[in-house]
Amino acid sequence: MEELIEKLKNIKNATHSQYEDTVAKYSYDEVMRDLKEAGISKDDLSEDEFQELLDEQIKKSKIFAKGAMTAAGILLFLEFLG
Amino acid sequence: MSKIQLLDELLGQYKLWTLKLRNASQGIENNILQKDSSAKLEEKIMSVGISSLLVYIGTAIVGLFGVATGGIGVVVLFVIGWLVSRYINKKVFGSERKIENIRDDEKVLLQRLKEIETKHKKIRDEMNSKPLIVNFTDYLKLRREFNEFVNLLLTYNSSALALKYRYKHSLVSDKYKLQVSKFDEIYAHKHRR
């Protein structure tokens, strides 16, 4: 997830769609890496099975990204109050 | 479908299942350790919301007596709201728990969780490295380990957790139990009725 933090820090002034694309691309790469480690080819999975894995990873990445963005100072004004 | 095709399919499903088991295990671990990085953002939003609400209600009540609330009054109300929200946030969201600070029974639970995950990862790796070994052995032993672990989950005392994580415990436990059912379907080729 460290890699995702770095990417998000670099795009903190990006549009919402750029942010979504970065998280989606990172999640896709993570799923492909997991599949490789498990000895599974993407072609062996149905579209639904792959999408389920991808959706789960995107959800995890987004949860992590929210925390990372807060920590990176995107919501700095709130930090001042805290 | 021939037996060879069926075996190939079940092997593929098992490997895929190990990834789902890992996700379900992470869910339980993160919940017990109250690891949710998005909670920080939720806390801040809740603090601003509660503080603003207190300012709104406070100025409205004071206004009923025909007194206008000045700048300092608004700031004081906001600060009071902020302090109240911090107390509420602590109860609702808590903070991340260090493994060395959790109870012994929680340590045992997390250790068993990790052992089961590691065991199935090892079985998967053996399937990948030695494709001709006899697969799907030791079902009863593996199933018993799951039964014992699910019992630990069901009897887990969540009183040490913040409210958000107490509520989530049953959700992450259900996700884990679903993967145990999937294990039966794949490893013992059992079908639920």
Side-chain angles (χ1 to χ4, degrees):
Chain A
M1 291 278 189
E2 294 301 316
E3 189 191 334
L4 180 61
I5 295 177
E6 284 308 311
K7 284 182 179 170
L8 290 171
K9 277 181 184 171
N10 292 332
I11 62 152
K12 58 186 174 185
N13 293 322
T15 61
H16 182 70
S17 67
Q18 283 173 304
Y19 160 76
E20 292 275 330
D21 287 348
T22 303
V23 172
K25 187 181 178 314
Y26 171 82
S27 303
Y28 180 87
D29 291 344
E30 282 289 295
V31 170
M32 292 305 285
R33 198 173 64 183
D34 285 344
L35 289 178
K36 192 179 171 191
E37 193 193 331
I40 310 167
S41 162
K42 181 176 178 281
D43 299 335
D44 294 338
L45 301 180
S46 68
E47 243 178 66
D48 287 347
E49 285 172 331
F50 183 75
Q51 197 58 47
E52 189 188 341
L53 285 178
L54 189 58
D55 289 346
E56 180 76 18
Q57 183 59 48
I58 287 175
K59 194 174 145 195
K60 279 200 287 184
S61 301
K62 279 188 176 173
I63 287 172
F64 188 79
K66 268 204 261 177
M69 287 171 79
T70 309
I74 305 296
L75 294 159
L76 198 59
F77 74 99
L78 292 174
E79 287 292 332
F80 282 136
L81 296 173
Chain B
M1 186 187 286
S2 75
K3 283 185 177 176
I4 296 289
Q5 279 176 316
L6 177 63
L7 183 64
D8 276 348
E9 193 183 308
L10 290 174
L11 284 172
Q13 284 179 17
Y14 177 75
K15 291 176 196 172
L16 180 62
W17 171 84
T18 59
L19 297 177
K20 294 179 181 176
L21 179 71
R22 187 202 57 189
N23 286 342
S25 300
Q26 278 176 349
I28 288 173
E29 183 182 347
N30 289 344
N31 198 61
I32 288 177
L33 298 179
Q34 299 188 161
K35 272 190 195 171
D36 182 357
S37 53
S38 69
K40 283 181 185 161
L41 181 58
E42 290 165 8
E43 280 180 46
K44 303 296 178 194
I45 291 169
M46 197 161 158
S47 292
V48 171
I50 290 173
S51 306
S52 304
L53 191 66
L54 196 75
V55 170
Y56 182 76
I57 293 171
T59 49
I61 290 172
V62 173
L64 285 176
F65 297 100
V67 182
T69 312
I72 293 174
V74 168
V75 171
V76 169
L77 283 173
F78 192 86
V79 169
I80 292 169
W82 193 260
L83 294 173
V84 169
S85 72
R86 288 188 75 141
Y87 173 77
I88 294 171
N89 282 342
K90 199 176 172 189
K91 291 281 175 200
V92 175
F93 298 106
S95 56
E96 188 174 330
R97 305 170 77 207
K98 301 274 180 209
I99 190 108
E100 56 269 24
N101 297 333
I102 63 177
R103 295 191 314 258
D104 286 346
D105 63 303
E106 293 178 304
K107 284 179 188 163
V108 169
L109 191 147
L110 292 182
Q111 191 187 343
R112 293 294 301 131
L113 178 74
K114 195 52 80 180
E115 281 169 3
I116 290 173
E117 190 193 330
T118 306
K119 183 171 277 184
H120 286 281
K121 188 171 176 288
K122 198 177 160 202
I123 294 172
R124 182 192 75 195
D125 291 346
E126 280 176 2
M127 285 175 176
N128 284 329
S129 60
K130 301 175 204 162
L132 292 176
I133 62 164
V134 178
N135 294 299
F136 302 124
T137 57
D138 292 332
Y139 167 72
L140 289 177
K141 186 170 169 255
L142 295 168
R143 188 63 175 90
R144 192 166 55 244
E145 287 172 355
F146 272 129
N147 285 345
E148 286 167 5
F149 184 72
V150 168
N151 272 338
L152 282 179
L153 275 183
L154 293 176
T155 55
Y156 173 68
N157 176 2
S158 62
S159 60
L161 301 182
L163 290 175
K164 175 186 171 180
Y165 299 97
R166 261 187 238 183
Y167 167 72
K168 264 183 80 181
H169 178 71
S170 61
L171 296 179
V172 292
S173 297
D174 285 347
K175 279 190 180 177
Y176 193 89
K177 284 190 277 182
L178 178 67
Q179 293 313 318
V180 175
S181 303
K182 295 273 181 196
F183 168 75
D184 285 337
E185 287 176 27
I186 299 166
Y187 211 86
H189 197 41
K190 284 182 182 175
H191 291 280
R192 281 181 292 177
R193 288 178 188 170

